Amino acid sequence: MNDKLEDLSFTYFPENYRWSHGLLIGLNMAPWGGAEIGEINRIGLRLKKCVGDDDAWFQEWSREARSVEERGRERIRDGQTASGAQYLQRASAYYHVGERFLQPKSREGLDAYMRGVECFRDAAKFIIRPRVEHVEIPYEGTSLPAIYVHAESQNKAGKMPAVVFFDGLDITKEIQYFKGVSDLVARGIACLIVDGPGNGESIRFRGLYLRHDTEHYATPVFDYLASRPEIDPNRIGVMAISLGGYYAPRAAAFEQRYACCLAWGAQWDYQKIWRDRFDRLARADTPSLSVAAQHISWVLNATSQDDVIKRLEPFKLDGVVQKITCPFLMLHGEGDEQMPLSEAQKCFDAVGSKQKTMKIFTREEGGYHHCQIDNQSICSAYMWDWLE
């Protein structure tokens, strides 16, 4: 039988890992209001004849986003704010999924990205549950944009726990909201989703490039949350996705006020990963990437592949995760094509915490691809159970 048929994972574009992964990012937002399967299928069908054309990808996602946005804004004008907000949430997600593959970034792409930010911001004005607040976190003479999702109080007499949720290499805070955050806050845990340096608005509009010393911004983010009167400063955790499997452990290792750490996807030696990817690209052997290969140069402000490798030198967790003392959870897919399971195991084994758990999602149960892209719901349930 064809290997793809035996995979058990939904691959809309079997010949293109990156496009299939990107479409799954869209589909997986559906349980939390970030997508409508029928709308995404419309996009996918229009793209079937131009697989690999990233400009076509951007145009079709933006086309659908604009249509959904217009219908949402019309409903809001007519006083149907609840349904209008739902449309705007989906439009926000579609704009951002569409823009991810553009390299170099274009004015048209950045305009679409900002429309996505504004759609989500406008939707938040009309959403009652959960309560969503856009905030700015002071950082190095500027600020980091973030979405603060209020906990639904389950203990009105006391302060609430919270978790900081950082991005990965190529994700955005708006997309991350649709990875089950509403389920988390329903359990009484607030969530602060942050576009850190190298991510989202921070790199597109504020010139903040990716840096290896995550604690440099994880500390002011912690201070911001701890200053909120409803938050218990002794119960603030940190988590991040994909490349965030580097960010969150680094943050917990050097900012030890974080009460727990969740690595949604593992990292170990990111320089090694990209050296291998560049070698494969040179041999015309396409590695499994979630964005165009040029993306890494952009977020690092690098001028060449050699410069990328040089700048990635400190992006290593050996000697770092040994310093982690708080409870630690690592999630990894058995069949992750972007990060070998063996690298995840190296990282987990080195973690210094006495309370550490590694959850490997298997092919049989699902969630066995990168960051559980093939089954988001079972992963979110596992994470929120652990955090709770």
Side-chain angles (χ1 to χ4, degrees):
M1 186 181 291
N2 185 290
D3 288 343
K4 289 295 181 184
L5 295 179
E6 291 182 331
D7 195 326
L8 303 181
S9 175
F10 181 74
T11 50
Y12 204 95
F13 306 102
E15 67 274 41
N16 193 301
Y17 172 91
R18 177 160 59 87
W19 273 38
S20 289
H21 187 274
L23 192 122
L24 274 173
I25 288 176
L27 283 178
N28 281 344
M29 293 187 280
W32 301 283
E36 164 52 52
I37 292 173
E39 291 166 354
I40 291 183
N41 188 49
R42 285 171 178 261
I43 298 168
L45 290 174
R46 294 196 295 259
L47 288 169
K48 282 286 189 179
K49 294 182 180 179
C50 49
V51 177
D53 181 345
D54 289 342
D55 184 63
W57 173 278
F58 167 71
Q59 294 297 337
E60 291 301 343
W61 282 90
S62 297
R63 173 182 169 186
E64 194 69 25
R66 181 63 67 95
S67 174
V68 173
E69 178 191 356
E70 289 174 352
R71 282 177 281 172
R73 296 199 181 280
E74 180 181 359
R75 280 165 170 75
I76 290 172
R77 286 193 298 270
D78 291 342
Q80 299 165 334
T81 57
S83 60
Q86 292 174 337
Y87 275 76
L88 292 185
Q89 283 189 318
R90 299 201 305 277
S92 170
Y94 300 166
Y95 279 125
H96 284 195
V97 172
E99 189 269 353
R100 291 171 66 251
F101 291 164
L102 287 184
Q103 283 295 342
K105 297 301 181 185
S106 65
R107 173 47 54 191
E108 184 183 12
L110 291 175
D111 287 347
Y113 187 94
M114 183 51 71
R115 289 189 76 92
V117 172
E118 292 170 349
C119 281
F120 192 97
R121 187 181 295 269
D122 291 344
K125 299 173 184 175
F126 303 106
I127 297 171
I128 299 173
R129 297 183 64 183
R131 182 181 164 205
V132 175
E133 178 184 349
H134 284 75
V135 300
E136 295 285 339
I137 299 166
Y139 172 73
E140 282 209 327
T142 179
S143 61
L144 300 175
I147 296 171
Y148 178 67
V149 190
H150 289 253
E152 296 189 16
S153 180
Q154 297 184 3
N155 178 14
K156 297 183 185 301
K159 294 192 173 187
M160 313 297 293
V163 63
V164 174
F165 191 1
F166 287 120
D167 302 335
L169 172 65
D170 53 15
I171 209 76
T172 77
K173 63 185 184 303
E174 287 78 12
I175 288 176
Q176 286 183 196
Y177 173 82
F178 298 112
K179 292 186 176 292
V181 169
S182 58
D183 292 346
L184 173 63
V185 300
R187 298 170 183 242
I189 303 172
C191 187
L192 182 67
I193 317 171
V194 184
D195 277 343
N199 293 118
E201 289 184 76
S202 289
I203 186 168
R204 286 168 177 83
F205 305 112
R206 308 188 186 193
L208 298 174
Y209 294 100
L210 189 64
R211 55 189 303 160
H212 79 280
D213 51 347
T214 313
E215 67 278 8
H216 191 269
Y217 55 93
T219 289
V221 169
F222 181 96
D223 290 340
Y224 168 81
L225 259 185
S227 73
R228 292 189 67 106
E230 76 277 18
I231 296 300
D232 180 352
N234 295 314
R235 291 191 293 160
I236 297 175
V238 62
M239 65 176 288
I241 186 171
S242 192
L243 178 54
Y246 171 87
Y247 306 154
R250 171 94 195 195
F254 291 102
E255 177 45 87
Q256 297 199 348
R257 290 178 295 172
Y258 280 110
C260 64
C261 177
L262 193 162
W264 187 356
Q267 297 293 334
W268 181 240
D269 183 341
Y270 202 50
Q271 183 191 51
K272 174 185 174 183
I273 291 297
W274 272 100
R275 186 181 285 115
D276 175 67
R277 288 170 174 175
F278 286 149
D279 287 346
R280 291 181 63 183
L281 287 167
R283 301 194 305 268
D285 177 15
T286 305
S288 296
L289 296 172
S290 57
V291 281
Q294 300 92 321
H295 188 97
I296 187 66
S297 298
W298 175 58
V299 298
L300 288 168
N301 197 27
T303 57
S304 65
Q305 288 187 1
D306 287 343
D307 194 20
V308 167
I309 296 302
K310 179 180 178 181
R311 290 171 186 260
L312 288 178
E313 172 65 31
F315 282 78
K316 299 174 182 178
L317 287 175
D318 193 10
V320 173
V321 293
Q322 288 89 341
K323 302 178 188 296
I324 297 175
T325 59
C326 64
F328 178 85
L329 172 65
M330 174 182 285
L331 306 167
H332 206 70
E334 184 181 44
D336 192 322
E337 295 181 53
Q338 296 187 41
M339 179 61 58
L341 179 58
S342 59
E343 293 293 287
Q345 192 66 55
K346 288 178 186 176
C347 182
F348 180 77
D349 290 345
V351 169
S353 174
K354 295 180 180 179
Q355 300 179 56
K356 61 181 183 178
T357 301
M358 185 174 188
K359 169 59 177 173
I360 300 173
F361 288 88
T362 66
R363 182 176 181 274
E364 182 179 4
E365 69 179 314
Y368 65 109
H369 281 295
H370 184 66
C371 294
Q372 290 65 66
I373 196 67
D374 56 304
N375 195 324
Q376 178 67 78
S377 295
I378 63 172
C379 175
S380 295
Y382 188 97
M383 293 191 299
W384 307 156
D385 286 347
W386 185 84
L387 283 171
E388 190 175 29

